[in-house]
Amino acid sequence: MGLLYNEVRKLKVLEAAWKKVRQKGLMSASNEIRAEVLEFDKSPSSHLHSISGKLSKNSFKFTPQTGIAKKRLGKSSWPLVVAPLHNRIVQRAILNVLNEIPVVREVRSVITSVGGIDGRDQAIAQVTEAIKSGKVWYVRSDIPGFFTKIPRENVLTFIRQNTDDSEFCALFEKAMETELANVDVLGKEAELFPTGEHGVAQGSSLSPLIGNILLRNFDAVMNDRGIVCIRYIDDFILLAEKGANALKAFNSALVILKEMGLDAYDPMTCPEKAGLGHVEGGFDFLGCRITGNMVQPSESARNRLVEKVENILSEGCERIKYHENDRKSGGASYAQTLCSLDRVLKGWGDSFSFCNDRRSFLKLDKRIDKLLSRFHLYVRKIRSKCSPVEKRRILGVHALCDTQQIELTVKPRTI
């Protein structure tokens, strides 16, 4: 058994992986994912010993995943892949082991490659620093369908050449593959998912690193000859002192990407996906609007937040409206709606906490306050017609009369 493979199966490595998976899972907006994590957490040691044992015997199998084609307004669906919990733990363990390999650490040390390593704030900080240094012309773009087009063999060859562990490489190869359990349900949208020889799952902890390994040469070549190229996974921006130099660098980027079977949006033909010009007029990058030294969430990012708030409150109203059809289900909850809203707002605020133009935050709060006022008035109207216990149910406070009675009987003890 190779040294790297042996590391993956160690309990301390799996425990560290589980800690990360658990943390992320509990923050998920999906009730199913949170429930799966809580169930695993009842006896994590037993589950992790089982995974370790299977890895030791070379009998661990990555089980089929669930594909979710997330709808996007005016865009094709986003192919998100949700893997079973034991898949995610082993993938995270593989990632942790990979990150300690010298050549991978070298890839991760490239300061201008940000996604999957540092937060978005570091990319924005580098952009503003480049502008301060005189790089005032830009071309920004992104690589369409990046994760679904990654040539996996390219990355696997890199790992094989820099390790001496065939078992680890075989496990890594399997961890990169996408096998869907719900192809029939997805129908034609199953074609969006990377189930062939190319592509990795969006949602896998390994995917950002795989993308960074693939684009390691891109990062090196593009940050040369007076050009600054800051890349966040598949989004990148080229900054130069002259407009002609920025355009020349972009054409060089297209050549490098084409060699890997990739492309980038042209700012001349796809202005909604890419852009170019002088920084003085301001520009959008990674969901932010950058104008001089001022940074704020972009207009589209702000609008998406308001739309999400509207949806949460609207769904809350619907659940409360029809609570009488299922009074004891716990689904009609004022508190549940507010908790969901609180998670979204705090998460969104944290993701843009680096923005120094706070006026947009104040304007957003005013819009959200109006939506909340409407929600409060609606709940008050519904509760005015209810009995005291129904009012409590709507608020999301357990009524003792709703406690399910169990049969009083002696049960055989299982040890």
Side-chain angles (χ1 to χ4, degrees), residues 13 38 69 89 114 157 177 188 228 250 265 287 316-317 346 350:
V13 175
L38 291 172
I89 292 170
V114 181
T157 298
E177 295 175 358
K188 192 172 182 180
V228 173
F250 179 68
Y265 289 109
C317 288
K346 190 173 188 311
D350 288 345

Side-chain angles (χ1 to χ4, degrees), residues 172-210:
F172 176 55
E173 183 176 12
K174 287 294 182 184
M176 287 196 292
E177 295 175 358
T178 302
E179 181 183 356
L180 298 178
N182 61 330
V183 173
D184 293 341
V185 175
L186 288 167
K188 192 172 182 180
E189 288 187 317
E191 298 174 3
L192 298 171
F193 294 83
T195 55
E197 295 180 359
H198 288 69
V200 293
Q202 295 188 60
S204 168
S205 59
L206 285 167
S207 296
L209 176 60
I210 291 168

Side-chain angles (χ1 to χ4, degrees), residues 323 326-332:
H323 79 285
D326 190 12
R327 294 182 178 184
K328 301 179 184 180
S329 70

Side-chain angles (χ1 to χ4, degrees), residues 44-100:
S45 180
S46 174
H47 291 302
L48 294 175
H49 271 88
S50 175
I51 294 172
S52 177
K54 290 177 182 177
L55 286 167
S56 298
K57 298 173 184 176
N58 256 322
S59 62
F60 178 85
K61 303 291 183 185
F62 290 100
T63 52
Q65 305 129 341
T66 301
I68 302 174
K70 301 198 76 171
K71 304 296 182 185
R72 298 186 295 177
L73 186 63
K75 300 180 181 179
S76 59
S77 297
W78 181 43
L80 177 66
V81 176
V82 179
L85 199 56
H86 61 272
N87 283 26
R88 302 204 300 274
I89 292 170
V90 174
Q91 287 171 338
R92 174 61 69 169
I94 292 171
L95 176 64
N96 291 346
V97 171
L98 278 170
N99 284 339
E100 296 305 315

